[in-house]
């Protein structure tokens, strides 16, 4: 089956720093979403980005579908950015819409 | 954005009892909903795909008789953990996909999760 790998697994930043999270996937995809899971477990949609580049405030994401990776950029990090970031993909061969999740990147932003 | 409501948020039950978790799409219709399970400090694992008006599709290794799924309408799917045991304790999360999409995008929206503790 499709493999979804995220790096780094853990990241500690000082407030104000920038970071880049990476998601590699092993097959062609219809859908790729980035999520932030807050300390209470709620998954927050950050981006729907099967290809191209998007920006939303301090966050931006780029997916290069032909090279099978996606990047999530966090600029000027804040303590509220702490949590787990997941990348999830839907295989192009799938007609069910099910998402396969990576193992996540745990981000801790220190004041 | 679209909202998925999941209830209850937390449940504590005795071993041997059954627990029902509801997942509702509040402002869109979902022919397909998904149920995930997450253990502490791990990723989400898909348990099953819930299809409106038909049987659920379970992932390999998931006991369909243990985790009963019903998707009776376009806005409601339920997961029942039958005869729960301590090893069923986990965080269960549902998601739903808008049946019509938006400009060709079929974004999945997630509920807030249910934390199940079986004593």
């Amino acid at each position: 089956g499709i493999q979804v790998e995220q790096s780094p697994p853990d990241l500690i930043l000082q407030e104000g720093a920038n970071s880049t999270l990476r998601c590699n996937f092993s097959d062609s995809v219809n859908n790729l979403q980035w999520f932030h899971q807050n300390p209470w477990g709620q998954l927050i949609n950050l981006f729907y980005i099967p290809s191209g580049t998007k920006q939303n405030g301090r966050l931006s994401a780029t997916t290069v579908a032909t090279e099978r990776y996606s990047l999530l950029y966090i600029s000027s990090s804040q303590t509220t950015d702490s949590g787990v970031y997941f990348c999830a993909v839907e295989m192009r061969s799938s007609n069910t819409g099910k998402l396969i999740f990576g193992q996540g990147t745990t981000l801790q932003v220190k004041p | 954005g679209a909202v998925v409501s999941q209830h209850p948020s937390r449940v504590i039950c005795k071993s041997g009892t059954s627990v029902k978790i509801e997942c509702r799409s509040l402002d869109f219709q979902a022919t397909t909903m998904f149920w995930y399970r997450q253990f502490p400090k791990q990723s989400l694992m898909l348990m099953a795909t819930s299809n409106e008006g038909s049987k659920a599709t379970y992932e390999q290794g998931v006991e369909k008789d243990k985790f009963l799924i019903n998707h009776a309408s376009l806005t409601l799917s339920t997961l029942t953990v039958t005869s729960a045991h301590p090893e069923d304790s986990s965080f269960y999360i549902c998601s739903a996909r808008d049946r019509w999409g938006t400009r060709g995008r079929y974004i999945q929206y997630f509920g807030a999760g249910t934390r199940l503790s079986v004593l």
Side-chain angles (χ1 to χ4, degrees):
Chain A
I2 192 168
Q3 303 293 320
V4 183
E5 296 179 353
Q6 292 185 242
S7 60
D10 300 281
L11 187 58
I12 300 175
L13 298 175
Q14 207 64 38
E15 199 169 27
N18 303 327
S19 61
T20 301
L21 282 57
R22 187 178 180 102
C23 173
N24 292 333
F25 43 95
S26 59
D27 206 346
S28 298
V29 299
N30 281 333
N31 176 10
L32 187 149
Q33 290 182 240
W34 281 98
F35 298 92
H36 175 213
Q37 188 171 37
N38 67 22
W40 298 272
Q42 172 76 65
L43 280 166
I44 310 297
N45 277 297
L46 297 178
F47 293 102
Y48 171 96
I49 188 164
S51 64
T53 298
K54 291 184 178 179
Q55 180 161 6
N56 184 3
R58 296 183 294 104
L59 302 182
S60 62
T62 296
T63 298
V64 184
T66 54
E67 297 187 21
R68 299 182 182 169
Y69 72 88
S70 184
L71 302 174
L72 177 68
Y73 305 96
I74 305 174
S75 65
S76 304
S77 58
Q78 301 175 358
T79 56
T80 52
D81 294 332
S82 297
V84 184
Y85 289 81
F86 288 106
C87 158
V89 304
E90 174 193 348
M91 294 169 54
R92 179 157 293 174
S93 57
S94 168
N95 60 357
T96 63
K98 65 181 182 182
L99 292 177
I100 308 300
F101 279 75
Q103 289 303 305
T105 292
T106 300
L107 172 64
Q108 182 182 0
V109 181
K110 294 187 172 182
Chain B
V3 177
V4 174
S5 173
Q6 188 173 340
H7 179 80
S9 58
R10 178 162 189 135
V11 58
I12 301 172
C13 68
K14 292 183 179 180
S15 187
T17 60
S18 294
V19 175
K20 180 184 282 188
I21 303 169
E22 290 189 350
C23 180
R24 294 180 184 272
S25 56
L26 295 187
D27 47 4
F28 64 99
Q29 293 181 332
T31 51
T32 306
M33 293 185 175
F34 303 90
W35 288 95
Y36 296 84
R37 185 173 182 176
Q38 186 179 31
F39 290 108
K41 300 193 183 300
Q42 294 189 22
S43 186
L44 280 75
M45 293 297 296
L46 180 66
M47 298 174 64
T49 301
S50 173
N51 305 300
E52 186 265 336
S54 65
K55 291 183 179 180
T57 305
Y58 291 82
E59 295 298 303
Q60 193 171 6
V62 177
E63 299 177 59
K64 59 181 66 177
D65 294 330
K66 159 69 79 175
F67 301 101
L68 299 179
I69 291 172
N70 183 273
H71 193 155
S73 77
L74 288 172
T75 59
L76 174 64
S77 175
T78 60
L79 168 69
T80 301
V81 183
T82 62
S83 187
H85 290 285
E87 58 265 30
D88 298 323
S89 299
S90 190
F91 191 56
Y92 293 88
I93 309 174
C94 72
S95 72
R97 192 174 76 152
D98 187 335
R99 67 181 300 198
W100 301 118
T102 304
R103 296 191 295 273
R105 303 183 304 168
Y106 292 90
I107 299 173
Q108 268 194 44
Y109 300 94
F110 282 75
T114 298
R115 201 163 299 280
L116 172 62
S117 300
V118 185
L119 305 178

